[in-house]
Amino acid sequence: MNICVVILLTVLTTESVALIDNDYEAGYREIRTILFKQQEEIRELKKISLVQEKKLRSLENENEALRRNVDELNAIVLKLEASRPTTNPSDDINSVSNTSSLQTRQIDHSGESLFSNGKRLTTSTPVAFYAYMSTSENAPSNHHTLVFDVIKTNIGGGYNKHSGMFSAPVAGVYVLTWTIYSGDNGKTVFGIFVNDDMVCSTFGETNDVDYDYDSDTGVIVVSLNQYDDVFIRSIMTCSTNIVSFAWNTRTTFAGWKLD
């Protein structure tokens, strides 16, 4: 009787071990199958990532090329502005063509250049402007001129929202101020230029923290001749964005003539 029990227990134990081995082998095969599938998926994701990285680099190169083109065009505009005559062609209007009379320009409140209407500005004419950037700019390159495209004040019509330049409509002593918001984790350096001369600059630096904006403001008092151009331009390649929104955190440019 005891021998039969022992034999039965031995048979049951052997079968149980076999079942366990079979279950283990099946589980192992299933895990290996899952791992192989995941490895294939990872390889496919890596391929997709490489393609996206190539596309991103291509877009960055195109963006940098466009920036360089814009900066070159801005430099050409500056040279043309600097080379224009400081005399008023309306003084000799009978001896010049209508094309030359473009030099006797006034600028309206929208920032567009217009033909002169014959009205002369005097040194006692009040001049003041204030404008801000409606959108942020992604890491401006070196020699990039900021354009403050939303005009809130433009008494005397000296500021142009398309070029970002203030051209003194009359000679005098002016107060000029600007505020630049720098984005996360980077540095920015901007100078204020009168024609080709940098008068002052501001520096911004932020940490790698979300919404760690840096606000830098500059103020200068400077004597300007009629038609002198004033603008804000980067003096290094910025490693972070210039932040500006319509409702808050505005990057601004303003000025006024002292009486």
Side-chain angles (χ1 to χ4, degrees):
M1 179 67 178
N2 291 334
I3 294 174
C4 292
V5 171
V6 170
I7 293 172
L8 179 60
L9 289 174
T10 302
V11 172
L12 291 175
T13 302
T14 303
E15 291 178 353
S16 299
V17 170
L19 289 173
I20 292 172
D21 289 341
N22 290 336
D23 291 341
Y24 175 79
E25 185 66 27
Y28 176 73
R29 284 196 299 271
E30 184 177 355
I31 291 172
R32 286 189 61 185
T33 301
I34 293 172
L35 288 175
F36 286 144
K37 288 182 179 179
Q38 290 179 341
Q39 288 175 352
E40 287 295 328
E41 291 175 355
I42 290 171
R43 280 193 288 270
E44 289 299 321
L45 289 174
K46 285 182 178 179
K47 291 179 182 178
I48 294 171
S49 178
L50 288 174
V51 171
Q52 295 298 330
E53 287 179 1
K54 289 180 180 178
K55 289 182 179 179
L56 179 59
R57 283 195 295 270
S58 177
L59 290 173
E60 288 175 346
N61 292 335
E62 291 178 6
N63 188 35
E64 185 62 28
L66 289 173
R67 279 187 190 164
R68 287 195 296 269
N69 289 339
V70 170
D71 291 338
E72 289 173 0
L73 290 173
N74 282 334
I76 293 172
V77 169
L78 281 178
K79 289 181 180 179
L80 292 174
E81 291 284 343
S83 64
R84 69 187 175 192
T86 57
T87 58
N88 194 332
S90 63
D91 295 337
D92 195 21
I93 196 168
N94 293 326
S95 62
V96 297
S97 66
N98 290 333
T99 302
S100 298
S101 68
L102 285 172
Q103 296 293 335
T104 63
R105 63 187 176 90
Q106 276 192 317
I107 302 174
D108 71 358
H109 291 282
S110 69
E112 299 286 354
S113 295
L114 301 176
F115 291 99
S116 172
N117 59 9
K119 181 180 178 181
R120 289 178 177 273
L121 300 179
T122 67
T123 54
S124 62
T125 301
V127 179
F129 74 96
Y130 163 63
Y132 66 89
M133 292 169 54
S134 61
T135 57
S136 302
E137 285 201 24
N138 182 30
S141 59
N142 194 15
H143 307 306
H144 176 77
T145 300
L146 293 181
V147 176
F148 305 82
D149 57 312
V150 179
I151 296 177
K152 304 302 289 185
T153 303
N154 201 14
I155 300 171
Y159 180 74
N160 188 303
K161 70 177 183 179
H162 301 297
S163 65
M165 293 184 184
F166 169 71
S167 296
V170 294
V173 178
Y174 288 80
V175 179
L176 298 162
T177 180
W178 65 102
T179 297
I180 296 175
Y181 279 88
S182 302
D184 304 333
N185 190 28
K187 298 178 182 180
T188 62
V189 182
F190 281 85
I192 184 168
F193 288 76
V194 177
N195 299 324
D196 292 327
D197 298 324
M198 188 177 75
V199 181
C200 187
S201 64
T202 54
F203 172 78
E205 183 174 15
T206 54
N207 297 319
D208 187 12
V209 179
D210 288 343
Y211 305 111
D212 180 30
Y213 298 158
D214 179 76
S215 172
D216 301 288
T217 298
V219 180
I220 62 171
V221 179
V222 63
S223 179
L224 299 179
N225 297 316
Q226 188 180 28
Y227 301 133
D228 275 350
D229 291 324
V230 184
F231 53 94
I232 309 297
R233 170 175 286 181
S234 60
I235 55 178
M236 62 168 273
T237 298
C238 301
S239 56
T240 187
N241 301 340
I242 301 304
V243 179
S244 190
F245 301 106
W247 61 92
N248 64 4
T249 319
R250 289 178 177 176
T251 290
T252 62
F253 185 27
W256 60 94
K257 183 174 72 68
L258 297 176
D259 293 332

